[in-house]
Amino acid sequence: MVAPNVLSVEHTLERVDMIHACVEKVKIDLKTGMVSRHPISTRNLDLAVINPAYVGKKNKYVYAAILGDPVPKISGITKLDVSIAEADRRDCIVACRKFGEGCFCGEPFFVAKDPNNPAADEDDGYVMSHVHNEKTGESSFLVMDAKSPNLDTVVESNCLVECLMVFTGFL
């Protein structure tokens, strides 16, 4: 099981800057009752999402928000390959997208390219989020290629309806 673990949670209200959220791989041995866990990334991550077709099944990829400075703002999105943690305990980040100074996004969402295709790769889809530039006051809706190593932009628009129309091929 992959799950978030918020460290220093006792500081949540008075010192939010001291919060560190990490994503951990948790194993429960049903025979012995032993629980083991280890972080799969050293980054400050939270609000993870997977391809909805893999809910309740073994999955390989997790897309998580990078908590920014200051917390709780989100400064980027990462793609984690949790299968790496099975072989060794190194960092599992295989793709990353930072939005730059003063730019923060919302929680990431995964949308499969073809949700009715059981043969599609798990990461064959898009990661979507809203991005706000605090310096200019502008916001945009961003659709990123979930397979690309930099979570490359597929569509970006300051109009959600326009972005979805381009994304779905209606514009």
Side-chain angles (χ1 to χ4, degrees):
M1 168 175 64
V2 174
N5 183 8
V6 179
L7 305 174
S8 302
V9 75
E10 66 274 8
H11 300 289
T12 301
L13 296 177
E14 75 246 11
R15 293 290 313 270
V16 79
D17 59 307
M18 293 183 71
I19 292 176
H20 182 80
C22 68
V23 179
E24 295 182 333
K25 186 147 200 176
V26 180
K27 288 187 177 186
I28 304 169
D29 185 324
L30 298 176
K31 292 178 183 165
T32 65
M34 295 293 297
V35 176
S36 64
R37 65 183 210 202
H38 67 274
I40 60 175
S41 177
T42 56
R43 279 211 137 130
N44 201 1
L45 304 175
D46 202 5
L47 304 170
V49 65
I50 64 170
N51 180 334
Y54 285 79
V55 171
K57 300 176 188 173
K58 185 171 183 152
N59 68 301
K60 183 175 181 177
Y61 299 111
V62 174
Y63 302 87
I66 302 169
L67 295 181
D69 185 16
V71 171
K73 294 182 180 181
I74 300 169
S75 63
I77 297 172
T78 62
K79 176 183 180 180
L80 302 157
D81 179 345
V82 296
S83 69
I84 292 172
E86 292 174 13
D88 56 42
R89 293 191 177 197
R90 62 188 171 97
D91 202 298
C92 296
I93 293 177
V94 293
C96 183
R97 176 74 179 268
K98 297 274 286 187
F99 297 111
E101 188 177 331
C103 293
F104 301 99
C105 69
E107 180 177 351
F109 292 92
F110 182 92
V111 177
K113 276 186 186 173
D114 186 1
N116 297 319
N117 179 2
D121 290 338
E122 179 184 344
D123 62 346
D124 193 13
Y126 307 97
V127 179
M128 301 182 181
S129 188
H130 165 269
V131 179
H132 178 71
N133 184 327
E134 291 186 341
K135 292 178 180 180
T136 65
E138 294 179 357
S139 294
S140 62
F141 187 74
L142 189 63
V143 178
M144 297 163 277
D145 179 0
K147 280 188 172 241
S148 67
N150 299 311
L151 299 175
D152 297 328
T153 301
V154 175
V155 179
E156 181 175 9
S157 175
N158 61 356
C159 174
L160 175 60
V161 173
E162 176 188 40
C163 187
L164 292 176
M165 289 178 76
V166 169
F167 173 67
T168 58
F170 288 109
L171 187 62

